[in-house]
Amino acid sequence: MNQQELNNKLSQIKAQLISIEQTADNRIYLSCEARNAYAVNKFLFEDVPLRFVIATGIDSDDCFEVIYHYAYDEIGCIINLKVFIRDRENPQLESIAPFLPAAEWIEREIHDLLGIDFKNHPNMRRLILADDWPQGVYPMRKEMDAKIARGWTCETSSRPAPESPARRTVPLGKPILPVGPFHPLQEEMEFFQLTTDGEIVTDIDMRISYNHRGIEKISESLQFDQVPYLVSRICGICSASHPTAYVNAVEEIAGVTPPDRARYVRTIICELERIHSHLLWVGLAGHFIGYDTVFMWAWKYREPVLDLLEEITGNRNNYGNVKVGGCREDIPDEIVPKMLKDLDEVEKKTEMLTKAVLDDPVLHARLKGVGTLSKEDAIRYAVTGPTARGSGIAIDVRRDDPYAAYADLDWNVIVQEQGDVFAKAVVRLLETLESVKMTKEAVQKLPKGPIAIEVKEIPPGEGCGHGEAPRGETFHYVRSDGGNRPIRHKVRAPSFVNVPSFRASCIGQHIADVTITLAAVDPCYSCTERLAVVDAHGNIVRDYEMLLQASRDKTAQMQKELGWPGLKLEDLQIG
Amino acid sequence: MWSLKKSVWVFHVNTGACNNCDIEIVDCLTPKFDIERLGIKLVGSPRHADALLVTGGVTAQAAPRLREVYRQTPKPCIVFAIGACACDKGIFTTGYHMVGPVDKIIKEVDPNAIIAYVPGCPPKPEAIISGVLKALAVL
């Protein structure tokens, strides 16, 4: 379907819309009243069909707005549906979660932050705010601005917290397995509550909020040039992708294109980030199934990548290298030969790791058919990145809606059909090799010229920027009123849609497979997390060490059954 | 105290960090830095910990959990505030969900707690190791 056919399709629902506006080749803004929102959303998701990205709640002066963002990946088009809720006293909207599970979390978030009530929502409990956050206080409403500026915190508030628990209650007699809340390597700290029947997981519930820092609100108090430093600290490992997506959005509002050299520098930083992030994941995945050698080696091989990043940007993480209109630091020509040499070395090591994984009969037995996310579920949960590509959905923002210099480079999108943990591991490993190839090409092609142009003013308007982070699509929506600060800045990190897909991939799994299934979408687990199995009376019967041991024992058992002697140092080439 | 200084067992607590400090802490364990050669070991339970490595500026939801983790550690326990956020909430100071920083929350439980600070965003693994060793030297 090309742009024309998409427009024709959208005009079928013209009667229910207030306006259809096309601001650029691949950005379409629709708007409608609250009463039509359900029907229009259903049409967009089921009949066009579009991929759900996220929704943004905005407190405008006279009404509340909810913007549903959709993507049509075939032509890289973003379709935004603005819904106006005129009743400020009692804001209500029909929930779209019954037919679109991907929207469940964001509707709960908008309810927490803006106080919009979603009718017929299957699971309307608190999601993003703390258990003891006072009831009826909505931090994203404009009336809170002055209070927060005067030093209001939830601790000084006199209003009571709600009585209803944020966690789901489980019927007595069903064993539950709480996982969390401390997971040092996650983007978002999470608490999982698994209901189990013997060794089989029968239900999973999640609680987030531990890591909610209110970044979208802080962003409204910063100037356009300061925001990249804030968004690079959303997640340490995605500290190149978030600012890149943000500046894509702001540059769309300002109508500027960064110079060629800046586009290449951005690409190089983003790809180096992907290499070290994927290697980090391979190491942790190895750790979970008892291959600590893989853990230590993969982390050793990512060190040269961090050193390169430090040499270019001055920091191993949190690069802060992207700014509106270009880049802050250039890649000095004299380090290019060293970069190429180091990348060759990284490529060799990654190839060795990839071979070791693909040729290992135990890993095949241990990871194939485990934690499968079917293509249908992947679409319903709107997952992105390697999680989607492992389930046979060939989407990649770098190819579909190219930004930076991706359109100039020669590379492939890696897709696997099976949807299990093994498929996701293969996607990540092969992607790392593609990234190394891409980085080398970009370094060799690096054009001469300035790395930034001056952008004096950001005009009023709105823009969407997205980029492919190591974990999937990161999406930023920015609205400007012509001042020097964004009046609304919405961020959707990839894990926000990838994590809820656990409901589809974990249920029916063995407890011993859960750690690796949860880790397969790369929410970054580490060995120091606190985790315990609690029986119906609340007694701890298994702790994290025992679960890890269960996972490792399963691997050892399979090694025995396969008559496999175990990993020997001589089998690996030591460079 | 002297035995504690020989071989420090640390427990890692994330209270709303962006992950960077946490990755750098784990990086300390891996071959390039390998803190186990200095007798420092990461443990899975606060009840085994001589020290807490706390990252993040403490969100409203994490604060009660941090207090509880500190209560569970055997005393004396050294608290390391790792990174700019743990030291003074860093870039997230104005966030409505932030109730930290770390020293404020820990002192609510124990006014005489030993707290050491390792600033940086994120501190490099070398800085974390040097911070821990410097703190042990003055104890």
Side-chain angles (χ1 to χ4, degrees):
Chain A
M1 194 157 65
N2 61 26
Q3 184 82 49
Q4 191 54 44
E5 286 162 341
L6 178 66
N7 287 351
N8 291 344
K9 194 105 191 185
L10 292 178
S11 60
Q12 288 176 19
I13 42 164
K14 220 170 185 171
Q16 298 179 33
L17 300 176
I18 303 171
S19 66
I20 301 182
E21 196 187 340
Q22 181 151 12
T23 54
D25 272 352
N26 45 12
R27 298 289 185 268
I28 296 175
Y29 288 86
L30 316 172
S31 61
C32 76
E33 293 294 340
R35 61 180 182 279
N36 295 329
Y38 182 84
V40 176
N41 272 307
K42 205 170 164 80
F43 176 83
L44 293 178
F45 177 69
E46 288 181 352
D47 297 343
V48 177
L50 301 174
R51 176 171 63 85
F52 180 72
V53 179
I54 199 65
T56 309
I58 304 181
D59 183 359
S60 303
D61 290 331
D62 52 341
C63 64
F64 288 111
E65 276 177 54
V66 175
I67 309 180
Y68 295 90
H69 307 277
Y70 289 89
Y72 188 64
D73 293 306
E74 214 171 292
I75 52 170
C77 188
I78 294 180
I79 295 100
N80 306 284
L81 170 66
K82 281 186 200 170
V83 176
F84 300 106
I85 306 169
R86 311 279 180 195
D87 181 4
R88 276 196 73 100
E89 291 306 308
N90 185 21
Q92 273 193 343
L93 206 54
E94 181 87 13
S95 168
I96 60 168
F99 67 88
L100 182 53
E104 188 188 316
W105 271 24
I106 185 62
E107 288 186 345
R108 286 167 70 185
E109 184 188 304
I110 293 174
H111 179 258
D112 277 2
L113 298 182
L114 267 178
I116 295 173
D117 199 17
F118 287 91
K119 283 185 290 180
N120 302 330
H121 190 283
N123 194 6
M124 187 50 84
R125 287 170 295 136
R126 184 168 276 194
L127 178 80
I128 202 92
L129 294 175
D131 293 337
D132 51 2
W133 183 271
Q135 191 157 24
V137 177
Y138 304 113
M140 290 304 281
R141 286 199 182 175
K142 294 284 180 219
E143 71 218 32
M144 287 301 291
D145 288 4
K147 280 190 189 172
I148 291 170
R150 282 202 305 271
W152 181 96
T153 70
C154 59
E155 287 189 324
T156 55
S157 168
S158 55
R159 300 178 81 147
E163 281 174 17
S164 62
R167 283 176 201 164
R168 186 189 297 169
T169 46
V170 177
L172 220 74
K174 289 227 175 177
I176 56 165
L177 179 148
V179 184
F182 286 114
H183 305 269
L185 278 180
Q186 272 172 278
E187 299 99 284
E188 299 131 324
M189 255 188 285
E190 289 141 352
F191 176 87
F192 297 100
Q193 183 174 283
L194 311 178
T195 312
T196 58
D197 180 7
E199 286 291 305
I200 306 289
V201 176
T202 55
D203 198 6
I204 180 165
D205 187 45
M206 286 154 259
R207 167 83 173 121
I208 58 174
S209 164
Y210 304 95
N211 215 339
H212 178 60
R213 289 154 282 167
I215 288 174
E216 290 174 16
K217 191 79 187 173
I218 301 174
S219 179
E220 291 172 16
S221 67
L222 297 180
Q223 296 173 9
F224 282 106
D225 273 345
Q226 295 172 320
V227 175
Y229 300 102
L230 175 72
V231 293
S232 72
R233 282 160 180 81
I234 290 172
C235 162
I237 320 185
C238 301
S239 55
S241 319
H242 277 294
T244 307
Y246 164 78
V247 297
N248 284 345
V250 177
E251 282 166 2
E252 189 178 303
I253 302 175
V256 294
T257 316
D260 282 348
R261 192 173 174 93
R263 292 194 296 119
Y264 273 77
V265 173
R266 283 181 189 180
T267 309
I268 292 166
I269 305 271
C270 283
E271 287 314 304
L272 287 175
E273 173 188 86
R274 193 179 322 276
I275 298 166
H276 91 70
S277 173
H278 280 352
L279 285 176
L280 176 145
W281 180 83
V282 171
L284 289 178
H287 174 68
F288 285 120
I289 54 171
Y291 277 16
D292 267 350
T293 319
V294 175
F295 176 37
M296 291 297 165
W297 285 41
W299 279 59
K300 184 177 153 194
Y301 300 149
R302 68 185 267 280
E303 285 297 330
V305 184
L306 294 178
D307 291 343
L308 279 180
L309 283 165
E310 187 178 3
E311 211 157 325
I312 299 168
T313 67
N315 208 354
R316 288 159 55 91
N317 312 79
N318 286 350
Y319 317 112
N321 198 32
V322 185
K323 67 176 186 182
V324 178
C327 289
R328 189 176 56 83
E329 295 286 344
D330 199 358
I331 295 178
D333 286 332
E334 57 271 21
I335 71 160
V336 167
K338 177 178 180 288
M339 280 186 81
L340 290 171
K341 191 169 145 270
D342 285 359
L343 285 167
D344 278 340
E345 201 58 26
V346 171
E347 188 169 24
K348 249 188 257 164
K349 303 293 185 197
T350 316
E351 267 171 11
M352 190 262 282
L353 263 179
T354 312
K355 267 189 221 148
V357 171
L358 297 184
D359 294 347
D360 189 324
V362 178
L363 286 182
H364 281 256
R366 185 72 181 76
L367 302 181
K368 278 196 172 165
V370 169
T372 307
L373 182 68
S374 68
K375 195 170 179 173
E376 294 70 41
D377 281 334
I379 291 171
R380 286 188 332 120
Y381 282 94
V383 295
T384 68
T387 311
R389 293 195 284 276
S391 293
I393 302 176
I395 52 170
D396 193 321
V397 183
R398 293 174 290 171
R399 181 198 60 188
D400 301 331
D401 187 11
Y403 57 101
Y406 289 111
D408 307 353
L409 302 175
D410 176 31
W411 58 286
N412 298 313
V413 176
I414 310 286
V415 183
Q416 294 281 312
E417 297 295 329
Q418 299 80 2
D420 52 11
V421 177
F422 192 78
K424 288 170 198 161
V426 172
V427 167
R428 289 206 176 85
L429 282 163
L430 297 181
E431 254 179 43
T432 315
L433 292 171
E434 285 296 316
S435 290
V436 177
K437 199 175 89 185
M438 230 191 284
T439 318
K440 282 204 285 194
E441 192 188 338
V443 171
Q444 279 158 347
K445 277 186 174 174
L446 200 62
K448 296 266 177 269
I451 53 159
I453 49 167
E454 197 176 352
V455 181
K456 285 214 164 121
E457 267 178 34
I458 312 293
E462 49 197 340
C464 305
H466 54 171
E468 189 74 17
R471 282 155 196 78
E473 179 201 38
T474 156
F475 177 91
H476 286 239
Y477 167 82
V478 181
R479 182 183 282 189
S480 156
D481 64 351
N484 57 358
R485 292 155 211 266
I487 54 168
R488 182 74 173 94
H489 177 194
K490 171 73 196 166
V491 182
R492 205 269 342 246
S495 288
F496 196 84
V497 283
N498 286 344
V499 167
S501 73
F502 291 158
R503 281 189 70 80
S505 60
C506 274
I507 293 174
Q509 297 287 312
H510 282 201
I511 293 176
D513 291 333
V514 164
T515 41
I516 187 66
T517 306
L518 296 182
V521 311
D522 196 3
C524 305
Y525 276 60
S526 115
C527 46
T528 47
E529 70 193 356
R530 189 164 67 81
L531 183 152
V533 182
V534 181
D535 71 11
H537 304 290
N539 301 322
I540 292 181
V541 292
R542 277 193 229 189
D543 62 7
Y544 172 73
E545 291 294 325
M546 288 168 78
L547 271 180
L548 194 60
Q549 200 56 47
S551 175
R552 290 170 169 186
D553 286 350
K554 189 166 175 180
T555 309
Q557 180 67 29
M558 280 175 174
Q559 286 179 343
K560 226 183 199 169
E561 284 167 17
L562 288 163
W564 193 68
L567 197 67
K568 278 197 200 125
L569 213 55
E570 306 88 87
D571 298 342
L572 303 165
Q573 315 157 354
I574 302 170
Chain B
M1 194 55 111
W2 64 269
S3 61
L4 185 154
K5 285 163 69 174
K6 282 285 176 203
S7 169
V8 192
W9 285 19
V10 298
F11 179 73
H12 171 210
V13 191
N14 178 332
T15 62
C18 71
N19 253 345
N20 261 336
C21 299
D22 313 274
I23 292 166
E24 297 295 46
I25 286 172
V26 178
D27 224 14
C28 292
L29 296 170
T30 54
K32 190 169 176 190
F33 301 101
D34 192 16
I35 49 168
E36 290 191 8
R37 75 202 146 94
L38 304 172
I40 303 171
K41 185 177 180 309
L42 209 58
V43 292
S45 164
R47 294 187 195 279
H48 298 162
D50 302 311
L52 293 180
L53 299 180
V54 189
T55 58
V58 193
T59 61
Q61 178 79 348
R65 279 90 191 159
L66 174 61
R67 290 188 198 106
E68 186 53 37
V69 166
Y70 183 77
R71 277 191 206 105
Q72 289 187 5
T73 55
K75 308 293 177 304
C77 169
I78 315 160
V79 177
F80 287 94
I82 308 270
C85 297
C87 292
D88 72 342
K89 296 201 273 186
I91 200 165
F92 304 115
T93 307
T94 52
Y96 54 80
H97 210 244
M98 308 299 287
V99 299
V102 170
D103 51 1
K104 180 184 149 215
I105 304 292
I106 295 287
K107 280 180 179 164
E108 284 168 15
V109 184
D110 177 4
N112 300 318
I114 311 166
I115 300 174
Y117 304 85
V118 182
C121 188
K124 293 174 70 172
E126 292 95 328
I128 298 175
I129 298 170
S130 136
V132 170
L133 295 181
K134 269 186 192 163
L136 293 179
V138 298
L139 283 175

